């Protein structure tokens, strides 16, 4: 089995074609994380002198400083340096699911060309941190996967049309469940499908550290001084938010930035952390990764769906073995806002979601 990794690379060019060193961008990201040019250089395997040369070259190209140095206090980025770092964070956060999907597709094509006979799991899923961990663990255990990230609607269509073995979904727990579920009923109602639990997770408001705008509820998003960043139209997270707004009698049109959407939870968090918005809506994990505060508003169930007839196959049994292993459940529990206590539990679709029986 051959793994393919695709990572985004970007730079900044002058009109004459002179480009900023991509190594400098990596260095600034490490300075932001380490608080020290010396430690950043060590993390990248650079000499301190080489690191300084990169900084000076970049400052000469911009005609502006990138670092502040204070004896005994380490290194801090200037506003320009911060903008470059957050641009890098946003690029990686926005593109990672798409690049992971493409890498998985290419690896599967290579496997077919090499006549690899190892079992292949075809997975179409809404992106999330638990599903990332599951795919990584399965790969470590030698199970090849052809992974496609999309929204819950495309995952529902894929399992309905037989284009995948398992589909990854998330639905709110509680009164919003049936409202959101209705969007997928046309693909799921009447099908012989089984639900495989992975985790529960928390969705809510991501706000700057210390919550300087004092955003504590959805109604606060209507204030004129609050800038919001949403998820893209059609995503399950945006459907949840729209349902919560309707339940609270809050018109979406009263929220500045509501129509501006990012394609991942991490991209929303990076957008807020970079100062481009005051608040976003998404899961807790990336909020904590980007040192944001988090206001929980809803809990969700993230699960897999498969045709019941496939449940006894070796591939699906391997998936269940991983989900039920205590080490994997602990790995899920380490993700902020996630709980993998019921990982690997199975239920018939109509038993898990009785409302679908009424829709068939």
């Amino acid at each position: 089995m051959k793994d393919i990794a695709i990572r985004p690379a970007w730079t900044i060019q002058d009109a004459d074609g002179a480009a900023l060193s991509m190594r400098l961008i990596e260095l600034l990201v490490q300075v932001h994380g380490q608080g020290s040019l010396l430690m950043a250089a060590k993390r990248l395997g650079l000499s301190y002198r080489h690191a300084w040369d990169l900084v000076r070259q970049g400052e000469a190209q911009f005609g502006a400083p990138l670092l502040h140095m204070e004896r005994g206090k380490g290194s801090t980025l200037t506003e320009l340096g911060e903008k470059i770092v957050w641009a890098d964070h946003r690029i990686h956060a926005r593109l990672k699911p798409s690049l992971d999907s493409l890498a998985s597709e290419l690896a599967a094509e290579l496997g077919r060309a090499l006549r690899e006979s190892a079992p292949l799991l075809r997975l179409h899923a809404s992106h999330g941190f638990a599903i990332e961990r599951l795919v990584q663990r399965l790969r470590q255990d030698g199970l090849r996967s052809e992974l496609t990230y999309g929204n819950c609607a495309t995952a529902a269509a894929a399992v309905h049309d037989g284009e995948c073995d398992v589909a990854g979904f998330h639905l709110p727990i509680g009164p919003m469940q049936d409202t959101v579920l209705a969007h997928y009923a046309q693909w799921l109602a009447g099908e012989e499908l089984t639900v495989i639990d992975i985790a529960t997770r928390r969705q809510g408001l991501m706000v700057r550290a210390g919550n300087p705008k004092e955003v504590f509820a959805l109604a606060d998003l209507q204030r004129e001084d609050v800038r919001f960043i949403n998820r893209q139209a059609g995503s399950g997270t945006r459907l949840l938010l729209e349902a919560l707004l309707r339940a609270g009698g809050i018109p979406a049109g009263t929220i500045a930035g509501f129509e501006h959407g990012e394609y991942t939870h991490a991209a929303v968090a990076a957008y807020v952390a970079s100062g481009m918005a005051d608040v976003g809506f998404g899961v807790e994990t990336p909020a904590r990764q980007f040192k944001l505060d988090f206001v929980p508003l809803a809990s969700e169930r993230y699960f897999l769906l498969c045709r019941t007839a496939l449940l006894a196959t070796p591939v699906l049994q391997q998936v269940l073995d991983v989900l039920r292993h205590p080490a994997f459940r602990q790995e899920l529990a380490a993700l902020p806002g996630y709980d993998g206590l019921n990982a690997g539990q199975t239920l018939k679709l109509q038993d898990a979601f009785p409302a679908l029986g009424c829709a068939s």
Side-chain angles (χ1 to χ4, degrees), residues 51-285:
W52 253 121
D53 285 343
L54 286 173
V55 172
R56 291 191 184 101
Q57 290 168 15
E59 291 180 336
Q61 188 168 346
F62 280 111
L66 294 169
L67 286 182
H68 293 304
M69 304 285 291
E70 292 187 60
R71 185 179 297 276
K73 295 186 178 181
S75 312
T76 57
L77 297 173
T78 63
E79 182 181 0
L80 174 60
E82 287 274 355
K83 292 296 184 184
I84 293 172
V85 167
W86 284 111
D88 185 78
H89 285 322
R90 289 179 60 213
I91 288 168
H92 283 264
R94 183 181 291 181
L95 295 181
K96 187 179 185 304
S98 296
L99 295 180
D100 286 349
S101 294
L102 179 57
S104 179
E105 177 186 321
L106 295 175
E109 289 179 5
L110 284 180
R112 285 189 283 268
L114 293 169
R115 305 291 192 271
E116 292 180 348
S117 59
L120 176 69
L121 175 70
R122 298 178 304 153
L123 172 61
H124 200 129
S126 173
H127 181 260
F129 295 87
I131 197 69
E132 273 191 355
R133 296 298 192 278
L134 176 60
V135 170
Q136 291 168 4
R137 179 57 64 90
L138 291 171
R139 186 177 294 124
Q140 292 168 5
D141 291 348
L143 178 59
R144 295 189 303 132
S145 61
E146 187 170 1
L147 170 65
T148 301
Y149 282 128
N151 58 37
C152 289
T154 57
V159 75
H160 176 270
D161 296 339
E163 294 176 356
C164 66
D165 301 313
V166 290
F169 283 81
H170 56 93
L171 289 173
I173 297 170
M176 293 294 106
Q177 176 183 282
D178 291 347
T179 300
V180 175
L181 184 61
H183 288 272
Y184 315 119
Q186 61 179 306
W187 296 289
L188 304 179
E191 297 285 346
E192 290 294 327
L193 300 173
T194 292
V195 170
I196 304 172
D197 277 313
I198 297 182
T200 60
R201 65 184 192 180
R202 298 199 295 187
Q203 292 253 35
L205 301 174
M206 306 177 188
V207 297
R208 302 289 299 277
N211 199 359
K213 290 294 181 74
E214 297 186 339
V215 177
F216 298 107
L218 290 177
D220 294 326
L221 301 181
Q222 300 176 98
R223 297 201 328 249
E224 292 183 359
D225 64 328
V226 173
R227 299 166 300 159
F228 181 67
I229 178 65
N230 207 347
R231 286 293 305 279
Q232 81 278 16
S235 69
T237 292
R238 182 150 167 171
L239 286 174
L240 169 61
L241 174 60
E242 290 169 348
L244 290 171
L245 290 174
R246 285 193 299 270
I250 301 170
T254 63
I255 300 172
F258 186 85
E259 293 306 322
H260 187 181
E262 285 285 352
Y263 280 83
T264 68
H265 294 282
V268 169
Y271 202 96
V272 174
S274 69
M276 297 182 68
D278 301 304
V279 57
F281 186 80
V283 298
E284 184 172 354
T285 302

